[in-house]
Amino acid sequence: VQLQASGGGLVQAGGSLRLSCLASGNMISLNLMGWYRQAPEKQRELVATITSSGSTNYTDSAKGRFTISRDNAKNTVYLQMNSLKPEDTAVYYCMARIQTPPRSNYNYYWGQGTLVTVSS
């Protein structure tokens, strides 16, 4: 199983970016998906999560500016980020809780991270 994140880049404050993360490999089911971020010299923090049925959860700083969504047919989760601020600068990691064969265990998987830089 592999998570491949993309969509990061350099954007000016007030701008927008859309991150994508594709899950691939031998999966039975793709459960919770989400995005975390880690700024320089800070701990990794939750940004947003979404269940397979579409229920979402956001950290306070993301509410009203970021939107998480997923396409279950494509095994992909998205993060639309609007009104970006310099403090949103971080490496963004996608996460997924995936059920895999042969024992149908659930495990958490992480993408490689994509850098988002917001200039002032």
Side-chain angles (χ1 to χ4, degrees), residues 43-56:
Q43 289 188 334
R44 190 174 298 189
E45 63 174 1
L46 170 70
V47 177
T49 59
I50 184 168
T51 67
S52 56
S53 59
S55 296
T56 59

Side-chain angles (χ1 to χ4, degrees), residues 22-101:
L22 168 67
S24 61
N26 193 6
M27 300 179 286
I28 297 173
S29 65
L30 191 53
N31 190 244
L32 184 72
M33 301 186 80
W35 292 93
Y36 285 69
R37 67 185 180 187
Q38 187 166 16
E41 301 183 359
K42 291 189 176 181
Q43 289 188 334
R44 190 174 298 189
E45 63 174 1
L46 170 70
V47 177
T49 59
I50 184 168
T51 67
S52 56
S53 59
S55 296
T56 59
N57 179 57
Y58 296 92
T59 191
D60 287 345
S61 62
K63 290 178 181 177
R65 299 188 300 126
F66 294 2
T67 302
I68 190 170
S69 61
R70 63 191 285 171
D71 185 331
N72 290 330
K74 296 181 179 179
N75 292 337
T76 300
V77 63
Y78 306 97
L79 185 68
Q80 177 66 43
M81 303 185 293
N82 299 328
S83 302
L84 283 162
K85 305 175 182 179
E87 50 263 43
D88 294 317
T89 295
V91 177
Y92 284 71
Y93 297 91
C94 59
M95 173 280 297
R97 185 171 180 261
I98 303 174
Q99 187 183 25
T100 56

